[in-house]
Each structure stands twice: as C-alpha cells, then as structure tokens.
Amino acid sequence: MHRPLLILATAMFAIGTDSFVIAGILPDAAHSLHVPLGTAGWLLTAYALTYALLGPVMATLTTRWPRRTLFLTGFTLFTTGNLLTAYVPVFAIALTARALAGLGGAMITPAAVAAATALAPPERRGRAIATVMTGLSAATALGSPLGTAIAGLTDNWRTTMLFVTALGLLAAAGTALYLPTLPTPPTVPLRTRLTPLTDHRIGLTLLTTLLAYTGLYTVYSFIGPSLDRTTHDNSTTLAALLLVWGLAATAGTLTSGTLTDRYGSRRIINTTLTLAAINFALLPWTSAHLPTALAALTLWGLCGWGLLAPQTHRLITTLPTAAPLLTGLASAAVYVGVAIAPLAGQAGLTRLGPHWLGPVGAALITLALIAAEAAHTAIRRMETETQ
C-alpha cells in the first residue's frame, strides 16, 4: 500500500507546486512575456480558476473511467500545459497552457483522494488520505521555494516550469508502473455534488474560506515585488523567505486540528482571521526589514493554513451526511479565492503599489471574519430550531 500512496503524494506535490510556484517568478515571467506585472498575475488565475471550477465537473464526467486511464489522462494534460508554458513566447498561449495544466490537476486531485481511501482498510483510511494530502503541504513548504530558487540559479523562470513538468512525468510514470487496479466509485451527479450550496450555513462557511484566501493570496500573488525591500530582488533570499512561510504553513496545518478539537472551530477560526488581518494591515512596514518580514511570514503561514482544519470541521459537523461532497467544495472555495486574488492584487498594484497590498488583503480577511460570525449565527439558529 505504501508505494502507491507515495506515488499519489508525489502527484499532489506536483499539482500543489504548480499552484503556487508562479508567484515567486512572476516579475521575470511578466518581463519575458512582455506584459505588465498585474496582467501576468492572470497566469495564477487561469490555473487556479480552472482547477477549482472544473474539479467537481471532471469528477462527475470521469466517474466510470478506469482509474489508471483517468490519472494518465490528467497527467498528460498537466505536463503538456506546463511544457507549453515553459516554451511559448506569447502571453495568450501561456494563459491557455496554464488553464490546460489546471484541468489536468482538476482531474487528478479528487481521484487521488478517492484512490487513497480505496487502497487502505477502514481503520487506516485517515492516515492514507493524510499521506496523500501531505504532498500539498510539502509543495507549500518545499515546492514553491525550490522552484523560485531554480529560477534564480538558472536566471530563467522557464526552467522552473520544466521542473514542474518533470514532477508530473515522474508521478505519471509511477502511476503507470505501480498503481494497482482500483474499483470505479459510484456515480454522483453534479447536481448532488452542488446541493449543499443551497444551505445558507454551508454557503456562509464557504464564503468565509473564499474571502479569506482571496485576501491571503492578494499579497502572495505578487510576493516578489511586495518583499523587494527585504530581498533586494535576490531570488535566493526570496526562496528562503518562502521556505519559512511554507514551513509555518505546514506547522499551522498540523497543529490546527488538535487545537480545533480542544477549543472548538469558532475560536480557532476567529483567532486565525483576526491575527491574519492585523498581520496584513502591518505589512507595509513589517515587509521592509528582514527580521520583521520573517515574523510576518511565519504568522501568515500559521494563520493562513491553520484556517483549513477548523473550516472543514465546521462544514462537516454542520452537515455530516454530505462530508465527502463538502470537502470537495471546501477545496474549490480555496482555489476560487486563489484565482480571484491576482485580480484584486492587480487593482491594488495600480492604485497603491506592491507594498500596500497587505491592507487590501486585510480588508478582505476582515470581511471573512464577518462571514464566519454570520455562519456561526446561522448554525446556532438552526440548532435552536431543531431542538
């Protein structure tokens, strides 16, 4: 069982790296593709929006496909999209290539989680899913900074895209050689997958996630220019800062579940959002110096990724019968936020400049806090009515 799970974790590492690595090389990509920095941010949007919106659709359309065929088709689209991005000189084609890579990722991710469940006996399924999802956490901690460092060392952002392509090819080869035959899951119509959205408790909770990650990634989308006073445009320094952020994000992911069990989801959600909003409001000043930038990135990683577990906990405890569908919607809400963030960041760049994107993000995170309290109120009201 361990080898297939590691292969699936490698796939998630490739997809997670592709989600975030563009941010660290965005200025070079903008210069090479002859577009303004804000416009280059659409490269993140094209991938993340395709990944988020087509995830439920592709899970429905490919339900009856043999699992190996599904994975290899997804990897083919993923690697083709990244390979095109690495070589095309035209921005419009690069944008289409990013969407193609996102489509491949949208096919692979839900299938990888389902495969982890099928590969493990009931008493080990939680650990199997965690093993596969560790690939995403590792991408945050290692993949994005490594990709940024590769671009700096080679003085070519396209080398980073070749690195991501190689990760996809490695995962594809492992899948072809070592993934056992898996049963196809039962068919779930798209309408059924989206039904929980009609529950206003679920809708408000997902809105919280969307607003929070739009705010968090408004700055991350343009992380290079936002931190240029600290990095002095040195890619190695930026990669080191992203590594700190990624390690903090991993720590936030690992500890937030225990804290949620101990203190409840509401307290952890409100605490992480409040700290994140204050942290972002101070970024115009803290991002100017290395020690304070390190502290800000650490708190950012802890709070940003520490929000996922309590939000998922709130969703599942609100509507336990729809837990598998809700986890998919929760992931989609994150990536819709990531997709919108470059557009919000582009508006902030035009009006305020890169060093003032933090307060823009803080405003969105504050709206997320308001939505979180509205969700809590709706959940309590429903509990009272059903007693």
Side-chain angles (χ1 to χ4, degrees), residues 59-80:
T60 301
L61 294 178
T62 62
T63 297
R64 308 313 300 170
W65 288 22
R67 297 297 91 181
R68 184 177 282 104
T69 300
L70 172 58
F71 279 118
L72 293 179
T73 302
F75 284 127
T76 299
L77 296 175
F78 178 81
T79 55
T80 300

PDB file of all heavy atoms in Angstrom, residues 59-80:
ATOM      1  N   ALA A  59     -14.863  15.304 -11.915  1.00  0.00           N
ATOM      2  CA  ALA A  59     -15.137  14.147 -11.068  1.00  0.00           C
ATOM      3  C   ALA A  59     -16.426  13.457 -11.493  1.00  0.00           C
ATOM      4  O   ALA A  59     -16.540  12.223 -11.436  1.00  0.00           O
ATOM      5  CB  ALA A  59     -15.223  14.587  -9.609  1.00  0.00           C
ATOM      6  N   THR A  60     -17.404  14.249 -11.944  1.00  0.00           N
ATOM      7  CA  THR A  60     -18.674  13.686 -12.407  1.00  0.00           C
ATOM      8  C   THR A  60     -18.522  13.035 -13.780  1.00  0.00           C
ATOM      9  O   THR A  60     -18.981  11.905 -14.006  1.00  0.00           O
ATOM     10  CB  THR A  60     -19.750  14.787 -12.467  1.00  0.00           C
ATOM     11  OG1 THR A  60     -19.920  15.356 -11.169  1.00  0.00           O
ATOM     12  CG2 THR A  60     -21.078  14.225 -12.948  1.00  0.00           C
ATOM     13  N   LEU A  61     -17.853  13.725 -14.705  1.00  0.00           N
ATOM     14  CA  LEU A  61     -17.750  13.234 -16.077  1.00  0.00           C
ATOM     15  C   LEU A  61     -16.881  11.986 -16.204  1.00  0.00           C
ATOM     16  O   LEU A  61     -17.073  11.185 -17.118  1.00  0.00           O
ATOM     17  CB  LEU A  61     -17.199  14.335 -16.987  1.00  0.00           C
ATOM     18  CG  LEU A  61     -18.092  15.568 -17.184  1.00  0.00           C
ATOM     19  CD1 LEU A  61     -17.382  16.597 -18.061  1.00  0.00           C
ATOM     20  CD2 LEU A  61     -19.429  15.176 -17.796  1.00  0.00           C
ATOM     21  N   THR A  62     -15.925  11.833 -15.306  1.00  0.00           N
ATOM     22  CA  THR A  62     -14.969  10.728 -15.429  1.00  0.00           C
ATOM     23  C   THR A  62     -15.209   9.612 -14.420  1.00  0.00           C
ATOM     24  O   THR A  62     -14.339   8.760 -14.223  1.00  0.00           O
ATOM     25  CB  THR A  62     -13.525  11.257 -15.255  1.00  0.00           C
ATOM     26  OG1 THR A  62     -13.384  11.820 -13.939  1.00  0.00           O
ATOM     27  CG2 THR A  62     -13.200  12.308 -16.285  1.00  0.00           C
ATOM     28  N   THR A  63     -16.374   9.616 -13.788  1.00  0.00           N
ATOM     29  CA  THR A  63     -16.641   8.630 -12.734  1.00  0.00           C
ATOM     30  C   THR A  63     -16.428   7.204 -13.207  1.00  0.00           C
ATOM     31  O   THR A  63     -15.865   6.367 -12.497  1.00  0.00           O
ATOM     32  CB  THR A  63     -18.083   8.790 -12.213  1.00  0.00           C
ATOM     33  OG1 THR A  63     -18.220  10.086 -11.629  1.00  0.00           O
ATOM     34  CG2 THR A  63     -18.399   7.744 -11.162  1.00  0.00           C
ATOM     35  N   ARG A  64     -16.855   6.879 -14.420  1.00  0.00           N
ATOM     36  CA  ARG A  64     -16.800   5.491 -14.904  1.00  0.00           C
ATOM     37  C   ARG A  64     -15.491   5.157 -15.618  1.00  0.00           C
ATOM     38  O   ARG A  64     -15.326   4.032 -16.091  1.00  0.00           O
ATOM     39  CB  ARG A  64     -17.983   5.224 -15.853  1.00  0.00           C
ATOM     40  CG  ARG A  64     -19.349   5.589 -15.298  1.00  0.00           C
ATOM     41  CD  ARG A  64     -19.574   5.079 -13.894  1.00  0.00           C
ATOM     42  NE  ARG A  64     -19.486   3.629 -13.800  1.00  0.00           N
ATOM     43  CZ  ARG A  64     -19.455   2.946 -12.677  1.00  0.00           C
ATOM     44  NH1 ARG A  64     -19.489   3.597 -11.520  1.00  0.00           N
ATOM     45  NH2 ARG A  64     -19.386   1.631 -12.682  1.00  0.00           N
ATOM     46  N   TRP A  65     -14.570   6.108 -15.689  1.00  0.00           N
ATOM     47  CA  TRP A  65     -13.287   5.815 -16.330  1.00  0.00           C
ATOM     48  C   TRP A  65     -12.466   4.871 -15.449  1.00  0.00           C
ATOM     49  O   TRP A  65     -12.467   5.002 -14.210  1.00  0.00           O
ATOM     50  CB  TRP A  65     -12.495   7.092 -16.535  1.00  0.00           C
ATOM     51  CG  TRP A  65     -12.995   8.021 -17.592  1.00  0.00           C
ATOM     52  CD1 TRP A  65     -14.259   8.098 -18.104  1.00  0.00           C
ATOM     53  CD2 TRP A  65     -12.238   9.032 -18.255  1.00  0.00           C
ATOM     54  NE1 TRP A  65     -14.335   9.091 -19.041  1.00  0.00           N
ATOM     55  CE2 TRP A  65     -13.111   9.684 -19.157  1.00  0.00           C
ATOM     56  CE3 TRP A  65     -10.923   9.456 -18.178  1.00  0.00           C
ATOM     57  CZ2 TRP A  65     -12.695  10.739 -19.968  1.00  0.00           C
ATOM     58  CZ3 TRP A  65     -10.500  10.502 -18.979  1.00  0.00           C
ATOM     59  CH2 TRP A  65     -11.382  11.131 -19.881  1.00  0.00           C
ATOM     60  N   PRO A  66     -11.708   3.958 -16.025  1.00  0.00           N
ATOM     61  CA  PRO A  66     -10.720   3.216 -15.227  1.00  0.00           C
ATOM     62  C   PRO A  66      -9.760   4.203 -14.568  1.00  0.00           C
ATOM     63  O   PRO A  66      -9.347   5.194 -15.185  1.00  0.00           O
ATOM     64  CB  PRO A  66     -10.005   2.347 -16.268  1.00  0.00           C
ATOM     65  CG  PRO A  66     -10.985   2.230 -17.395  1.00  0.00           C
ATOM     66  CD  PRO A  66     -11.731   3.528 -17.428  1.00  0.00           C
ATOM     67  N   ARG A  67      -9.407   3.937 -13.321  1.00  0.00           N
ATOM     68  CA  ARG A  67      -8.613   4.907 -12.549  1.00  0.00           C
ATOM     69  C   ARG A  67      -7.259   5.195 -13.195  1.00  0.00           C
ATOM     70  O   ARG A  67      -6.805   6.340 -13.217  1.00  0.00           O
ATOM     71  CB  ARG A  67      -8.435   4.412 -11.121  1.00  0.00           C
ATOM     72  CG  ARG A  67      -9.723   4.260 -10.328  1.00  0.00           C
ATOM     73  CD  ARG A  67     -10.455   5.589 -10.138  1.00  0.00           C
ATOM     74  NE  ARG A  67     -11.420   5.865 -11.205  1.00  0.00           N
ATOM     75  CZ  ARG A  67     -12.160   6.972 -11.270  1.00  0.00           C
ATOM     76  NH1 ARG A  67     -12.003   7.902 -10.350  1.00  0.00           N
ATOM     77  NH2 ARG A  67     -13.001   7.156 -12.247  1.00  0.00           N
ATOM     78  N   ARG A  68      -6.584   4.167 -13.703  1.00  0.00           N
ATOM     79  CA  ARG A  68      -5.280   4.417 -14.315  1.00  0.00           C
ATOM     80  C   ARG A  68      -5.433   5.306 -15.552  1.00  0.00           C
ATOM     81  O   ARG A  68      -4.626   6.211 -15.786  1.00  0.00           O
ATOM     82  CB  ARG A  68      -4.597   3.098 -14.675  1.00  0.00           C
ATOM     83  CG  ARG A  68      -3.189   3.308 -15.238  1.00  0.00           C
ATOM     84  CD  ARG A  68      -2.472   2.011 -15.526  1.00  0.00           C
ATOM     85  NE  ARG A  68      -1.952   1.392 -14.313  1.00  0.00           N
ATOM     86  CZ  ARG A  68      -2.490   0.339 -13.706  1.00  0.00           C
ATOM     87  NH1 ARG A  68      -3.582  -0.217 -14.205  1.00  0.00           N
ATOM     88  NH2 ARG A  68      -1.959  -0.168 -12.618  1.00  0.00           N
ATOM     89  N   THR A  69      -6.464   5.061 -16.346  1.00  0.00           N
ATOM     90  CA  THR A  69      -6.715   5.898 -17.528  1.00  0.00           C
ATOM     91  C   THR A  69      -6.966   7.343 -17.124  1.00  0.00           C
ATOM     92  O   THR A  69      -6.454   8.285 -17.750  1.00  0.00           O
ATOM     93  CB  THR A  69      -7.929   5.360 -18.309  1.00  0.00           C
ATOM     94  OG1 THR A  69      -7.662   4.020 -18.729  1.00  0.00           O
ATOM     95  CG2 THR A  69      -8.223   6.227 -19.522  1.00  0.00           C
ATOM     96  N   LEU A  70      -7.740   7.517 -16.055  1.00  0.00           N
ATOM     97  CA  LEU A  70      -8.041   8.863 -15.571  1.00  0.00           C
ATOM     98  C   LEU A  70      -6.768   9.585 -15.134  1.00  0.00           C
ATOM     99  O   LEU A  70      -6.519  10.737 -15.524  1.00  0.00           O
ATOM    100  CB  LEU A  70      -9.032   8.776 -14.411  1.00  0.00           C
ATOM    101  CG  LEU A  70      -9.320  10.074 -13.650  1.00  0.00           C
ATOM    102  CD1 LEU A  70      -9.855  11.146 -14.583  1.00  0.00           C
ATOM    103  CD2 LEU A  70     -10.298   9.811 -12.517  1.00  0.00           C
ATOM    104  N   PHE A  71      -5.949   8.917 -14.340  1.00  0.00           N
ATOM    105  CA  PHE A  71      -4.718   9.547 -13.862  1.00  0.00           C
ATOM    106  C   PHE A  71      -3.788   9.902 -15.020  1.00  0.00           C
ATOM    107  O   PHE A  71      -3.248  11.014 -15.081  1.00  0.00           O
ATOM    108  CB  PHE A  71      -3.993   8.617 -12.882  1.00  0.00           C
ATOM    109  CG  PHE A  71      -4.539   8.642 -11.492  1.00  0.00           C
ATOM    110  CD1 PHE A  71      -5.073   7.498 -10.926  1.00  0.00           C
ATOM    111  CD2 PHE A  71      -4.533   9.811 -10.746  1.00  0.00           C
ATOM    112  CE1 PHE A  71      -5.585   7.514  -9.642  1.00  0.00           C
ATOM    113  CE2 PHE A  71      -5.036   9.837  -9.460  1.00  0.00           C
ATOM    114  CZ  PHE A  71      -5.574   8.685  -8.906  1.00  0.00           C
ATOM    115  N   LEU A  72      -3.599   8.974 -15.938  1.00  0.00           N
ATOM    116  CA  LEU A  72      -2.658   9.220 -17.036  1.00  0.00           C
ATOM    117  C   LEU A  72      -3.165  10.312 -17.973  1.00  0.00           C
ATOM    118  O   LEU A  72      -2.374  11.115 -18.490  1.00  0.00           O
ATOM    119  CB  LEU A  72      -2.392   7.934 -17.801  1.00  0.00           C
ATOM    120  CG  LEU A  72      -1.629   6.859 -17.009  1.00  0.00           C
ATOM    121  CD1 LEU A  72      -1.428   5.606 -17.854  1.00  0.00           C
ATOM    122  CD2 LEU A  72      -0.288   7.398 -16.522  1.00  0.00           C
ATOM    123  N   THR A  73      -4.474  10.396 -18.166  1.00  0.00           N
ATOM    124  CA  THR A  73      -5.022  11.492 -18.968  1.00  0.00           C
ATOM    125  C   THR A  73      -4.793  12.820 -18.264  1.00  0.00           C
ATOM    126  O   THR A  73      -4.390  13.816 -18.891  1.00  0.00           O
ATOM    127  CB  THR A  73      -6.528  11.282 -19.207  1.00  0.00           C
ATOM    128  OG1 THR A  73      -6.739  10.029 -19.866  1.00  0.00           O
ATOM    129  CG2 THR A  73      -7.103  12.400 -20.061  1.00  0.00           C
ATOM    130  N   GLY A  74      -5.053  12.848 -16.967  1.00  0.00           N
ATOM    131  CA  GLY A  74      -4.820  14.073 -16.202  1.00  0.00           C
ATOM    132  C   GLY A  74      -3.365  14.494 -16.228  1.00  0.00           C
ATOM    133  O   GLY A  74      -3.047  15.688 -16.416  1.00  0.00           O
ATOM    134  N   PHE A  75      -2.448  13.531 -16.059  1.00  0.00           N
ATOM    135  CA  PHE A  75      -1.021  13.864 -16.101  1.00  0.00           C
ATOM    136  C   PHE A  75      -0.599  14.352 -17.485  1.00  0.00           C
ATOM    137  O   PHE A  75       0.266  15.228 -17.599  1.00  0.00           O
ATOM    138  CB  PHE A  75      -0.188  12.640 -15.711  1.00  0.00           C
ATOM    139  CG  PHE A  75      -0.183  12.345 -14.245  1.00  0.00           C
ATOM    140  CD1 PHE A  75      -0.519  11.088 -13.776  1.00  0.00           C
ATOM    141  CD2 PHE A  75       0.150  13.320 -13.324  1.00  0.00           C
ATOM    142  CE1 PHE A  75      -0.517  10.807 -12.420  1.00  0.00           C
ATOM    143  CE2 PHE A  75       0.160  13.053 -11.970  1.00  0.00           C
ATOM    144  CZ  PHE A  75      -0.181  11.801 -11.516  1.00  0.00           C
ATOM    145  N   THR A  76      -1.196  13.786 -18.525  1.00  0.00           N
ATOM    146  CA  THR A  76      -0.871  14.230 -19.881  1.00  0.00           C
ATOM    147  C   THR A  76      -1.239  15.700 -20.069  1.00  0.00           C
ATOM    148  O   THR A  76      -0.448  16.500 -20.601  1.00  0.00           O
ATOM    149  CB  THR A  76      -1.607  13.362 -20.920  1.00  0.00           C
ATOM    150  OG1 THR A  76      -1.184  12.001 -20.789  1.00  0.00           O
ATOM    151  CG2 THR A  76      -1.314  13.854 -22.329  1.00  0.00           C
ATOM    152  N   LEU A  77      -2.432  16.073 -19.632  1.00  0.00           N
ATOM    153  CA  LEU A  77      -2.862  17.476 -19.731  1.00  0.00           C
ATOM    154  C   LEU A  77      -1.993  18.370 -18.862  1.00  0.00           C
ATOM    155  O   LEU A  77      -1.591  19.471 -19.273  1.00  0.00           O
ATOM    156  CB  LEU A  77      -4.333  17.594 -19.320  1.00  0.00           C
ATOM    157  CG  LEU A  77      -5.348  16.873 -20.214  1.00  0.00           C
ATOM    158  CD1 LEU A  77      -6.746  16.969 -19.611  1.00  0.00           C
ATOM    159  CD2 LEU A  77      -5.332  17.444 -21.617  1.00  0.00           C
ATOM    160  N   PHE A  78      -1.700  17.900 -17.653  1.00  0.00           N
ATOM    161  CA  PHE A  78      -0.904  18.684 -16.709  1.00  0.00           C
ATOM    162  C   PHE A  78       0.497  18.960 -17.250  1.00  0.00           C
ATOM    163  O   PHE A  78       0.967  20.106 -17.267  1.00  0.00           O
ATOM    164  CB  PHE A  78      -0.828  17.926 -15.383  1.00  0.00           C
ATOM    165  CG  PHE A  78      -0.009  18.586 -14.320  1.00  0.00           C
ATOM    166  CD1 PHE A  78      -0.532  19.605 -13.540  1.00  0.00           C
ATOM    167  CD2 PHE A  78       1.296  18.175 -14.081  1.00  0.00           C
ATOM    168  CE1 PHE A  78       0.232  20.214 -12.551  1.00  0.00           C
ATOM    169  CE2 PHE A  78       2.071  18.771 -13.102  1.00  0.00           C
ATOM    170  CZ  PHE A  78       1.525  19.795 -12.327  1.00  0.00           C
ATOM    171  N   THR A  79       1.176  17.904 -17.714  1.00  0.00           N
ATOM    172  CA  THR A  79       2.549  18.086 -18.194  1.00  0.00           C
ATOM    173  C   THR A  79       2.584  18.853 -19.516  1.00  0.00           C
ATOM    174  O   THR A  79       3.493  19.663 -19.744  1.00  0.00           O
ATOM    175  CB  THR A  79       3.247  16.725 -18.362  1.00  0.00           C
ATOM    176  OG1 THR A  79       2.470  15.879 -19.208  1.00  0.00           O
ATOM    177  CG2 THR A  79       3.416  16.042 -17.020  1.00  0.00           C
ATOM    178  N   THR A  80       1.588  18.633 -20.373  1.00  0.00           N
ATOM    179  CA  THR A  80       1.535  19.383 -21.638  1.00  0.00           C
ATOM    180  C   THR A  80       1.362  20.871 -21.364  1.00  0.00           C
ATOM    181  O   THR A  80       2.030  21.715 -21.979  1.00  0.00           O
ATOM    182  CB  THR A  80       0.383  18.878 -22.519  1.00  0.00           C
ATOM    183  OG1 THR A  80       0.582  17.491 -22.819  1.00  0.00           O
ATOM    184  CG2 THR A  80       0.315  19.661 -23.827  1.00  0.00           C
TER     185      THR A  80
END
